[in-house]
Amino acid sequence: MFIKNSSNYFGQFFFFIFNQIKNFYLNSKIYNRKISKISGKTLEYKPSPSLLDCLIKYKKKKIKIEDLYLNSVWVNNNLDKKDHRNLHSFFWLFGLDLKSSKKITRSVILNWIEENYNYSKKNWEIDILSKRIIAWISNTKLTYEDSDEVYKNKFNTIIQKQINHLINEIEKSKLIDDKMIGCAAIILTGLSFKEKEKYLDFGFSLLKKIINFSFDSQGFPKSRNIRQLNFYLKYFVLIREWLKESQSEIPVYLDEIIFYLGKSYSILCQEMKKSILFNGNHETDNKDFDQYLNNHRYKFKNNSFETGGYIILKNNKISLIMDIGPSPEKKFSKDYQCGALSFEIISNNKKLICNSGYFQKIKHKLNDISKSTANHSALIIDNHSSCKINKSKMEIENELKILNKNFVIEKNYWSISASHDGYNKRYGIIHERQIEFFPENNKFVGQDKLLKKKNFKSSTFEIRFHLEPNVKIMKTQDGKSILIDIENEGWKFTAQGYTIDIETGLYFGKKNSFTENQNLFISGITQMEDQIIKWEFEKIT
């Protein structure tokens, strides 16, 4: 233990020294001269701001730059972290009315340049810098056109200087999302300044590395994160639209990854009025992005029912979605939620059963809670999750495997079944779940099997079924049924031979917020022999 603690201490010490040396170098005149070597070229390609519609949610009412007092804010040290990042990213430019004063807009940018001409750790972070470059170049009608040569030279210089810094630092970043944003900024700069060798070639090389590193052989994010699927697809489509508009060659590998991501998006997100809450996802309105894809003639179709470890069976009224995928590799598990074999049911665009969503702020206590199996419609043994998460490293410690999976979809019968080994090592139990749906009777029949192995250890178990916050429920007098009211649609929940009850929990469906919800649960004790716990949801009105 002493040796381990000493090793950790020295590791932290050398990491601290390394960072101090690095910060000294980045703030030195030597480094400033290095990133100040620019080509002297001027801005040629000026992208349409509308191409950013896939990323930016425009406010219906545009604001004028005259209504903002920004010049003095660059030296304001009292801004909170979120406001500071939003301000220095300049994405607020997309909310300006084009009738805003170009003179005032440019004076704001010049003022920023004067305060931040040299590297600044706080204002030159990869994601802030990258968004700033994208915002400046995408809003040239306000930021660049009709300006004098002195301003244009300063504008061109600071963009290339920041991109030179970005190229030096981006591959050292461990945050793949930041790399994706940075990659987009580098490619856009290469297109705009017609700098193929210096910027475009580097950007395309980085893009290919990101694709090879982050996606599996079927083109799905290795994190199995649906929110990340959306994020990547938007940036890949944006880059492709820049290339198309600038009449540049589109790499085959970019078309391929958009094709595969698009197929998955069509199953999991497209035209879905209710977001499915698995593995890092929260409630998202994809209506604007769907319209964007349609406007730019992207048509994604997928005749399969499975993608990325998720199965979706649906008709015009009912959707049954189940997580039948393994846990991701440790290095991709930062946002993984332990919801193996969890499921959701959507009836007439209303959630009957759901998972409880994801609290996105890392290192927050609620982030840990939202990752637990107890916040999913799944089996929990002895209050432990199906995967153990290392809180300091933000990754899972023991990867969970899916042992078998199968599904059937016919006109009058659906079935999904799968099993996992997440409870085998600790409790000697394999969990197998089957969910059947009988469309003619509007009935779901579930079976959770606890299959015992040699290292079996008797424990308590619970099977939870989470509900959205607005759902009304009532336990019948005999205690054998629970009635569920989802916007005037009535369902009845029963379980054969087991205690059922109601408990209050937390719902994280809306990004970085929480509210109370309720969940139904079956509880019991694991037995020496294999167990089958049966339950039903039947529509009654």
Side-chain angles (χ1 to χ4, degrees):
M1 180 64 73
F2 173 77
I3 294 174
K4 184 177 180 181
N5 289 338
S6 298
S7 176
N8 289 337
Y9 172 78
F10 284 113
Q12 291 172 2
F13 174 74
F14 284 115
F15 181 74
F16 172 77
I17 295 297
F18 174 80
N19 275 339
Q20 291 294 101
I21 295 171
K22 179 183 176 182
N23 288 333
F24 178 79
Y25 170 66
L26 292 176
N27 286 282
S28 69
K29 291 182 180 179
I30 297 172
Y31 183 71
N32 188 53
R33 283 198 297 270
K34 179 181 178 181
I35 61 175
S36 296
K37 295 176 182 178
I38 63 171
S39 65
K41 290 186 177 181
T42 60
L43 206 64
E44 294 185 38
Y45 166 59
K46 298 158 190 173
S48 303
S50 62
L51 295 184
L52 271 290
D53 283 0
C54 62
L55 296 178
I56 309 296
K57 290 190 176 181
Y58 289 85
K59 294 180 179 178
K60 290 183 179 180
K61 185 179 180 181
K62 294 287 186 176
I63 55 175
K64 290 189 176 183
I65 190 70
E66 293 88 340
D67 297 330
L68 304 174
Y69 299 93
L70 289 169
N71 279 324
S72 61
V73 84
W74 304 126
V75 291
N76 184 351
N77 296 318
N78 297 319
L79 292 173
D80 64 33
K81 187 175 181 180
K82 183 179 178 181
D83 287 341
H84 179 272
R85 295 175 76 85
N86 289 338
L87 180 68
H88 284 264
S89 73
F90 277 83
F91 262 34
W92 48 266
L93 282 171
F94 293 99
L96 292 182
D97 192 321
L98 289 178
K99 295 179 181 178
S100 292
S101 168
K102 295 179 181 180
K103 185 177 180 180
I104 295 176
T105 304
R106 289 164 193 160
S107 73
V108 169
I109 292 175
L110 276 175
N111 194 267
W112 185 93
I113 294 172
E114 289 172 5
E115 295 292 335
N116 299 276
Y117 186 73
N118 296 331
Y119 167 78
S120 163
K121 182 179 180 180
K122 191 175 182 181
N123 300 333
W124 285 44
E125 288 183 13
I126 287 176
D127 64 329
I128 298 175
L129 183 156
S130 304
K131 289 178 178 179
R132 181 164 59 241
I133 297 299
I134 292 170
W136 283 1
I137 295 178
S138 297
N139 287 278
T140 52
K141 286 187 177 179
L142 288 172
T143 64
Y144 192 79
E145 290 181 6
D146 304 324
S147 58
D148 58 45
E149 289 304 311
V150 174
Y151 172 86
K152 285 182 177 178
N153 286 335
K154 289 183 178 180
F155 186 88
N156 295 335
T157 298
I158 192 63
I159 283 182
Q160 293 180 63
K161 187 175 180 180
Q162 290 177 89
I163 290 296
N164 290 340
H165 166 72
L166 187 59
I167 287 174
N168 284 334
E169 294 296 309
I170 193 167
E171 294 200 72
K172 301 170 190 174
S173 174
K174 294 181 180 179
L175 301 175
I176 302 299
D177 289 7
D178 285 1
K179 284 187 178 181
M180 186 68 249
I181 302 170
C183 180
I186 293 167
I187 290 173
L188 177 59
T189 303
L191 292 172
S192 296
F193 288 92
K194 301 299 180 184
E195 278 280 11
K196 183 179 185 300
E197 292 183 4
K198 191 173 182 181
Y199 297 145
L200 264 184
D201 288 349
F202 181 91
F204 285 140
S205 174
L206 179 60
L207 183 66
K208 201 166 187 178
K209 288 178 183 177
I210 290 172
I211 292 171
N212 291 338
F213 179 78
S214 301
F215 297 90
D216 63 23
S217 57
Q218 282 76 47
F220 200 89
K222 291 180 181 177
S223 62
R224 299 192 57 237
N225 188 316
I226 297 171
R227 176 171 48 84
Q228 203 168 53
L229 180 152
N230 266 323
F231 169 83
Y232 277 120
L233 181 59
K234 288 177 180 179
Y235 270 96
F236 289 146
V237 167
L238 174 62
I239 290 171
R240 190 181 188 280
E241 289 304 306
W242 283 336
L243 292 168
K244 188 169 72 173
E245 188 181 61
S246 63
Q247 297 183 337
S248 303
E249 184 179 353
I250 299 170
V252 174
Y253 58 83
L254 179 58
D255 277 337
E256 286 180 349
I257 194 63
I258 289 175
F259 171 76
Y260 286 114
L261 279 178
K263 288 179 69 174
S264 295
Y265 178 82
S266 70
I267 297 177
L268 299 173
C269 309
Q270 199 161 37
E271 298 178 358
M272 292 279 287
K273 293 185 178 179
K274 300 291 287 187
S275 300
I276 54 176
L277 304 181
F278 295 87
N279 294 325
N281 205 23
H282 45 68
E283 293 178 17
T284 307
D285 186 354
N286 295 311
K287 185 169 59 177
D288 290 342
F289 185 46
D290 288 347
Q291 186 61 52
Y292 179 95
L293 293 172
N294 185 59
N295 291 344
H296 292 272
R297 299 182 180 180
Y298 290 89
K299 297 188 183 299
F300 302 126
K301 289 185 178 181
N302 196 337
N303 295 323
S304 175
F305 298 97
E306 180 181 358
T307 186
Y310 305 98
I311 285 183
I312 296 186
L313 307 182
K314 59 184 177 180
N315 59 25
N316 292 333
K317 295 182 178 179
I318 296 289
S319 297
L320 171 63
I321 311 100
M322 188 165 161
D323 181 350
I324 46 89
S327 60
E329 298 174 47
K330 291 182 181 181
K331 59 186 173 184
F332 298 105
S333 64
K334 179 176 67 74
D335 294 314
Y336 177 66
Q337 294 177 274
C338 305
L341 308 192
S342 64
F343 72 101
E344 295 197 334
I345 297 173
I346 303 173
S347 174
N348 291 310
N349 296 318
K350 300 179 287 289
K351 284 271 184 84
L352 171 61
I353 299 299
C354 66
N355 295 313
S356 287
Y358 183 55
F359 194 84
Q360 202 169 318
K361 290 181 181 177
I362 301 296
K363 296 184 179 179
H364 194 291
K365 186 177 180 180
L366 293 178
N367 177 265
D368 294 335
I369 292 172
S370 70
K371 287 182 176 180
S372 69
T373 303
N375 269 280
H376 293 74
S377 294
L379 168 75
I380 308 100
I381 295 182
D382 197 29
N383 288 322
H384 282 87
S385 293
S386 53
C387 281
K388 186 178 180 182
I389 295 177
N390 186 315
K391 293 181 181 180
S392 61
K393 294 183 179 180
M394 299 293 173
E395 61 184 26
I396 59 173
E397 290 188 355
N398 300 307
E399 294 175 12
L400 172 152
K401 295 179 182 177
I402 296 297
L403 304 179
N404 60 66
K405 59 183 180 180
N406 187 41
F407 72 92
V408 175
I409 180 165
E410 298 172 352
K411 183 179 179 180
N412 295 316
Y413 177 74
W414 303 355
S415 173
I416 304 176
S417 62
S419 62
H420 73 78
D421 66 354
Y423 294 118
N424 185 27
K425 188 174 181 180
R426 186 191 289 262
Y427 299 106
I429 292 174
I430 299 295
H431 176 211
E432 181 180 302
R433 166 169 279 180
Q434 180 183 24
I435 302 177
E436 299 172 289
F437 176 56
F438 301 90
E440 289 185 335
N441 301 320
N442 279 314
K443 179 190 286 189
F444 290 90
V445 178
Q447 291 188 84
D448 283 292
K449 297 180 182 179
L450 311 184
L451 308 177
K452 310 307 185 305
K453 310 303 283 185
K454 290 182 179 179
N455 58 326
F456 169 71
K457 176 184 174 183
S458 182
S459 311
T460 60
F461 74 83
E462 293 174 343
I463 302 171
R464 293 190 176 272
F465 308 89
H466 292 270
L467 309 169
E468 286 192 321
N470 60 339
V471 174
K472 300 174 183 178
I473 55 177
M474 181 182 69
K475 196 173 184 179
T476 57
Q477 287 187 344
D478 60 10
K480 294 181 180 180
S481 304
I482 295 174
L483 304 180
I484 307 167
D485 180 6
I486 50 169
E487 296 182 31
N488 301 317
E489 191 172 289
W491 291 77
K492 181 174 71 173
F493 170 66
T494 56
Q496 298 177 17
Y498 285 91
T499 301
I500 60 174
D501 215 332
I502 300 168
E503 189 171 75
T504 299
L506 292 175
Y507 180 78
F508 306 103
K510 297 186 184 298
K511 184 179 178 180
N512 286 332
S513 65
F514 66 93
T515 186
E516 287 189 351
N517 71 336
Q518 291 183 298
N519 58 84
L520 322 176
F521 68 94
I522 303 168
S523 59
I525 305 290
T526 59
Q527 307 296 326
M528 286 297 297
E529 67 278 359
D530 292 347
Q531 288 171 268
I532 299 178
I533 302 101
K534 293 183 179 181
W535 43 266
E536 293 184 1
F537 288 93
E538 183 177 11
K539 189 176 182 182
I540 53 177
T541 59

